[in-house]
Amino acid sequence: MKFIVSSSQLLKQLQQISGVINANTVLPILEDFLFEVEAGKLTVVATDLETVMRIQLDVEARETGKVCIPAKILIDSLKNIPDQPLTFTIDKNFGVEITSDNGKYKVMGENPDNFPKEPAAEDATTFTMPAEALVTAINKTLFAVSNDDLRPAMTGVYFELNKDYIQFVATDAHRLVRYKRTDVSCPKADSFIVPRKPLNLLKSALPDNEDELTVSYNGNHLFVKHGSTQMSCRLIDARFPDYKVVIPTDNPYKMVVSKPLFQSALRRVSVFSNKSTNQVALAITGSELSLSAQDIDFSFEGNERMKCQYDGEDLTIAFNARFLIEMLNAAEGDEVRVELSTPTKAGILRPTDADEHEDLLMLVMPLMLNQ
């Protein structure tokens, strides 16, 4: 089998899917790309058994055939070859010879029959959505996903489908993010949990624009297709916690504060906080917000004051500064609204100006105040 392909085009496409491949896999074949040539098209597949990504590009080829090529050496070599046509020649023992303008490189491929089969989209429900909607949803929720493997349901993002909207929810039991889009219509009310890794891969593979994605799912897998790029992944088989019960319905105290000023003040003050809790206390009186942090073990202390608009009784409440900073990153616009009630109840952050199709709610649990 022989085919000719542009080196830069091939590298760009392979880099999109190479993130699927784990560094230390149980099966050596999982360290390979599956190359498949048919009718002038090259399809390349990468998998870790849970997630599969495939891309397709045009090549010059008269024959059809398949081969598995080790991913690392192929990508490392392509990075160092200037943009030019490369000729791949594969012999019957799966030896791969790559010929460039001034060089010839050989690598031993593997039998493609040993490459794992990808899941079929049987009995799948399908809908479409803009790429930008999914990329934004991933960016706004992924940071709140839990790393605790003992609670598998929280190690992914919960997709909640409805005929009028789609909602994405992530929580690690200390904070919760709910992002809603009303410009996406799903065929029926449904829900499933998508693991972190495939969402991270989608975030880098998809364009942040209005391109249409085809999203399909069945009982076990999610399938996402954009142009010549496709991804499928196994869903998390667990029940997502009933997140609605933790969202307070009545947080009467409202504070509006400049997002960039609040975020930079938190960054400065949190340097002096206890490294295990990152605790920063917020004291709100009238139109002034005071931030304070201390680490008693080292006699560190940091304090700052800033202006805010506040409607409520004087209040002192403590939060994990790192959580607040990550939440502020996810909020668009110049101002955020913080809704509070008592020092022991969850606080809610919302951007003050959101797009008409979007609704973002972020909840963070308070810490016990250092007395």
Side-chain angles (χ1 to χ4, degrees):
M1 177 175 84
K2 187 175 176 181
F3 63 90
I4 300 168
V5 63
S6 149
S7 61
S8 59
Q9 251 190 320
L10 181 60
L11 175 63
K12 186 179 167 204
Q13 298 282 5
L14 293 183
Q15 283 175 325
Q16 272 197 0
I17 64 171
S18 62
V20 175
I21 297 170
N22 289 334
N24 43 357
T25 70
V26 194
L27 299 171
I29 194 108
L30 296 179
E31 295 174 3
D32 294 0
F33 290 124
L34 171 65
F35 275 58
E36 196 172 339
V37 176
E38 196 175 329
K41 297 266 187 203
L42 166 66
T43 304
V44 187
V45 184
T47 182
D48 65 358
L49 295 180
E50 297 286 316
T51 304
V52 181
M53 280 193 87
R54 56 162 50 217
I55 51 96
Q56 200 174 56
L57 66 165
D58 294 326
V59 294
E60 278 182 53
R62 292 203 177 90
E63 317 152 78
T64 62
K66 295 182 189 181
V67 66
C68 288
I69 304 178
K72 187 175 184 319
I73 192 163
L74 181 58
I75 284 191
D76 287 349
S77 61
L78 288 171
K79 279 178 184 168
N80 294 299
I81 295 174
D83 183 19
Q84 59 189 279
L86 296 179
T87 305
F88 282 69
T89 312
I90 292 98
D91 65 28
K92 60 181 184 299
N93 299 317
F94 308 112
V96 181
E97 189 176 274
I98 305 168
T99 313
S100 68
D101 288 350
N102 342 326
K104 193 175 276 192
Y105 317 97
K106 288 185 180 177
V107 56
M108 199 58 219
E110 288 189 67
N111 187 336
D113 296 341
N114 299 331
F115 197 80
K117 300 282 177 280
E118 53 189 292
E122 291 168 355
D123 303 326
T125 307
T126 303
F127 61 95
T128 58
M129 67 189 295
E132 167 271 326
L134 185 55
V135 170
T136 307
I138 295 170
N139 284 329
K140 291 192 185 304
T141 54
L142 207 56
F143 70 89
V145 165
S146 172
N147 294 317
D148 183 0
D149 293 331
L150 297 175
R151 294 196 272 190
M154 292 188 186
T155 60
V157 174
Y158 182 59
F159 282 49
E160 204 172 4
L161 280 46
N162 198 292
K163 289 195 171 176
D164 305 321
Y165 62 82
I166 183 167
Q167 237 168 215
F168 306 84
V169 185
T171 182
D172 61 4
H174 303 290
R175 56 193 166 164
L176 181 144
V177 180
R178 187 191 72 196
Y179 177 66
K180 182 176 182 179
R181 292 289 295 223
T182 54
D183 56 349
V184 178
S185 172
C186 308
K188 57 180 179 179
D190 221 332
S191 61
F192 48 83
I193 307 169
V194 184
R196 167 192 266 126
K197 180 178 175 179
L199 291 175
N200 256 323
L201 293 165
L202 279 175
K203 189 172 75 168
S204 33
L206 295 175
D208 192 358
N209 62 19
E210 291 301 312
D211 283 10
E212 197 169 85
L213 302 179
T214 306
V215 181
S216 312
Y217 64 93
N218 57 23
N220 299 314
H221 291 90
L222 173 74
F223 307 87
V224 179
K225 185 169 191 274
H226 169 257
S228 59
T229 305
Q230 291 179 46
M231 189 213 75
S232 64
C233 71
R234 190 185 296 279
L235 298 171
I236 293 174
D237 183 15
R239 267 186 69 130
F240 198 74
D242 184 2
Y243 70 90
K244 295 183 176 83
V245 298
V246 299
I247 300 174
T249 49
D250 181 32
N251 269 12
Y253 307 155
K254 311 276 194 286
M255 174 176 76
V256 176
V257 66
S258 156
K259 182 189 119 173
L261 295 180
F262 187 32
Q263 200 170 24
S264 47
L266 281 166
R267 284 203 174 102
R268 288 190 293 270
V269 172
S270 66
V271 170
F272 302 91
S273 67
N274 180 299
K275 289 297 158 273
S276 62
T277 63
N278 293 303
Q279 177 171 310
V280 171
L282 309 181
I284 317 160
T285 48
S287 60
E288 188 171 270
L289 165 64
S290 301
L291 298 87
S292 58
Q294 61 186 92
D295 190 338
I296 295 158
D297 300 342
F298 296 97
S299 301
F300 293 165
E301 198 174 328
N303 294 281
E304 278 205 26
R305 293 194 313 276
M306 61 181 288
K307 288 270 177 264
C308 68
Q309 294 165 274
Y310 182 59
D311 178 16
E313 293 178 16
D314 290 1
L315 177 70
T316 302
I317 187 167
F319 292 111
N320 180 319
R322 184 173 63 83
F323 290 173
L324 288 180
I325 290 165
E326 287 178 342
M327 287 178 158
L328 291 168
N329 270 341
E332 304 282 331
D334 293 331
E335 289 186 329
V336 288
R337 188 166 80 244
V338 186
E339 301 171 7
L340 304 161
S341 63
T342 69
T344 55
K345 280 202 177 158
I348 288 178
L349 271 80
R350 294 175 185 270
T352 52
D353 49 344
D355 192 76
E356 59 175 329
H357 300 304
E358 295 180 301
D359 178 39
L360 177 66
L361 176 144
M362 296 179 283
L363 174 149
V364 59
M365 299 304 290
L367 301 173
M368 290 292 288
L369 278 160
N370 293 335
Q371 294 305 330

